[in-house]
Amino acid sequence: MAVKSESNGKTVAKDKIYVGALVSREVQDKLIELGKPRELSLSDVVREAVREYIAKQETN
């Protein structure tokens, strides 16, 4: 079931949280470029990177 987030008013899944980070314009542009070949949004790229980081940490 989706619910409205109190922090930003957007509809999100009940079991999800919003995570924000400040990055330079250069990092933002690079992440957008990395996502283009697979038609991924900036958020998609960040979510994938977080999942990969967690997987890597769990194997160490």
Side-chain angles (χ1 to χ4, degrees):
M1 177 174 114
V3 296
K4 288 267 185 185
S5 167
E6 295 200 17
S7 63
N8 63 12
K10 294 184 179 179
T11 301
V12 295
K14 192 173 185 178
D15 64 338
K16 306 282 184 186
I17 64 163
Y18 177 81
V19 176
L22 294 174
V23 297
S24 69
R25 177 70 64 186
E26 293 81 20
V27 169
Q28 177 191 19
D29 292 344
K30 182 64 176 173
L31 292 171
I32 291 169
E33 285 301 312
L34 289 169
K36 280 185 180 180
R38 293 174 41 209
E39 298 183 359
L40 299 175
S41 69
L42 175 59
S43 294
D44 294 331
V45 173
V46 171
R47 281 190 291 272
E48 187 173 288
V50 169
R51 283 190 298 271
E52 288 178 12
Y53 178 82
I54 291 168
K56 181 180 177 185
Q57 295 305 308
E58 289 176 342
T59 61
N60 290 337

